Amino acid sequence: MSDTHSLLRHVPVPLFAAVMGLGGLSLAWRRAALVWDLPSWPWHILFGVTVVVFLLVAGAYLAKLIRHPDAVRADVTHPIRMAFVPTITISLLLLATGFSDIAPDIARVMWWIGAVGHLVATFYVISSWFGRDDINRDTMTPAWLIPIVGNVVTPLAAPAVGNLELAWFSFGIGVIFWLGLWPMLLNRVLVHDNPLPTKLTPTIAIFLAPPSVIALSWQQLTGHLADPVGVILHAAAVFFALLLLSQVPRLVRLPFSLPILAYTFPVATVATVTVAMAGATGSGFHAALAVIALAAATGIVLGAVVRVAWGTVRGEVLVAE
């Protein structure tokens, strides 16, 4: 029993990134089914796995909260880990988006909890950045985009099961703070006098997510994707994906650590927006690019999640930071 309690203390909040990655991949396959008239079973299976993983991770983290509230408090207040706490509310928003087609009543509850909860989490994290002396260049990582990205996830299910006024409100917050943080975080990773810790290097993939999700939400809110706004955002997402691809020789040499989950949601969002762009433009070029992006995202997401699951079994995940 004491061993179990010890393991619970070390359940890491970034595990919710696995839910985000799998949820994002299921939504990519859902979009592919709509655009190319594919069978729905791939996204249904992926979404079912997402729900199971969410229940496992949420159950473990709830047990951590009950047994070790001080450890959860440490996550919420830690200058680096606090940016990962909003992965919980983003997971709820992605589940709401998936359930909007198959269980709208469940989706509606999840959307409201996720949307309001994420606004609260965003306010808490950003106000902490404003007021704490221990928030500095050393603690700044691309994971700072996580609270921001969540706000632009909110509109994805809003037309079906949510509220458009709240969706636009969250969207505005996400876009403005993304534009504000983007140059700061680019400076952090492009100027090497104070490099990211090796363990956190995979978080550079998070740069892919904001333009991708903003474009998808723009389509949900306005009905347009192949307009100048959507085209520019999609171009930025694809270019960031190419930049990440150029770093693969360096990234594959990194030792295993939980932040490999940082690859999963961003690549899934690039696949989703590229499939959506193929549907919006009817372009053969976009269709070919979308097939490549969807195949790559599927391999990366499933590979990373399986590696983390294997690492958990081997005792490499539920350990002290």
Side-chain angles (χ1 to χ4, degrees):
M1 183 68 72
S2 61
D3 290 342
T4 301
H5 287 177
S6 177
L7 290 175
L8 286 176
R9 172 176 285 278
H10 301 307
V11 173
V13 70
L15 273 179
F16 282 96
V19 181
M20 291 175 57
L22 289 166
L25 184 62
S26 71
L27 296 178
W29 278 95
R30 184 180 73 166
R31 186 63 67 112
L34 292 172
V35 169
W36 295 321
D37 196 27
L38 298 178
S40 61
W41 63 262
W43 91 260
H44 283 155
I45 290 175
L46 285 166
F47 187 67
V49 173
T50 304
V51 173
V52 171
V53 172
F54 173 76
L55 292 174
L56 290 173
V57 175
Y61 203 74
L62 179 61
K64 175 179 176 177
L65 174 63
I66 294 170
R67 293 289 186 178
H68 304 286
D70 60 310
V72 172
R73 191 178 307 113
D75 288 339
V76 173
T77 58
H78 190 276
I80 295 177
R81 290 201 302 273
M82 67 188 302
F84 292 92
V85 173
T87 57
I88 300 172
T89 46
I90 298 174
S91 296
L92 286 172
L93 289 167
L94 291 170
L95 289 173
T97 305
F99 274 125
S100 64
D101 280 353
I102 53 182
D105 290 337
I106 294 174
R108 190 168 292 107
V109 173
M110 285 187 159
W111 188 88
W112 278 102
I113 295 173
V116 175
H118 195 80
L119 283 172
V120 172
T122 302
F123 181 84
Y124 167 73
V125 172
I126 295 178
S127 63
S128 296
W129 293 340
F130 267 106
R132 287 176 47 173
D133 293 336
D134 59 342
I135 305 296
N136 51 48
R137 185 175 172 83
D138 291 335
T139 62
M140 184 193 305
T141 76
W144 277 28
L145 291 170
I146 293 173
I148 308 308
V149 170
N151 289 283
V152 294
V153 173
T154 296
L156 294 180
V161 296
N163 178 274
L164 287 176
E165 287 80 6
L166 182 56
W168 273 110
F169 183 81
S170 297
F171 183 78
I173 293 169
V175 170
I176 294 301
F177 275 92
W178 170 58
L179 292 173
L181 289 177
W182 187 27
M184 295 170 56
L185 296 173
L186 277 177
N187 178 270
R188 179 73 167 94
V189 300
L190 296 180
V191 180
H192 301 287
D193 60 325
N194 185 31
L196 282 174
T198 300
K199 182 177 179 180
L200 293 175
T201 301
T203 62
I204 63 174
I206 299 174
F207 282 110
L208 281 62
S212 302
V213 185
I214 290 170
L216 291 167
S217 289
W218 178 253
Q219 184 182 34
Q220 287 296 93
L221 292 169
T222 68
H224 301 291
L225 183 62
D227 62 358
V229 173
V231 169
I232 290 170
L233 289 166
H234 177 249
V238 171
F239 187 71
F240 272 119
L242 293 174
L243 286 174
L244 184 67
L245 184 63
S246 74
Q247 299 301 306
V248 166
R250 175 168 68 102
L251 297 174
V252 296
R253 294 195 299 268
L254 296 174
F256 167 76
S257 63
L258 190 60
I260 68 167
L261 290 175
Y263 299 129
T264 60
F265 181 67
V267 298
T269 62
V270 173
T272 307
V273 74
T274 306
V275 172
M277 187 62 75
T281 63
S283 161
F285 169 75
H286 284 121
L289 193 61
V291 170
I292 295 170
L294 186 60
T298 302
I300 292 169
V301 172
L302 296 182
V305 171
V306 169
R307 179 62 183 90
V308 168
W310 179 239
T312 303
V313 172
R314 296 182 58 187
E316 298 173 310
V317 173
L318 303 183
V319 295
E321 289 285 338

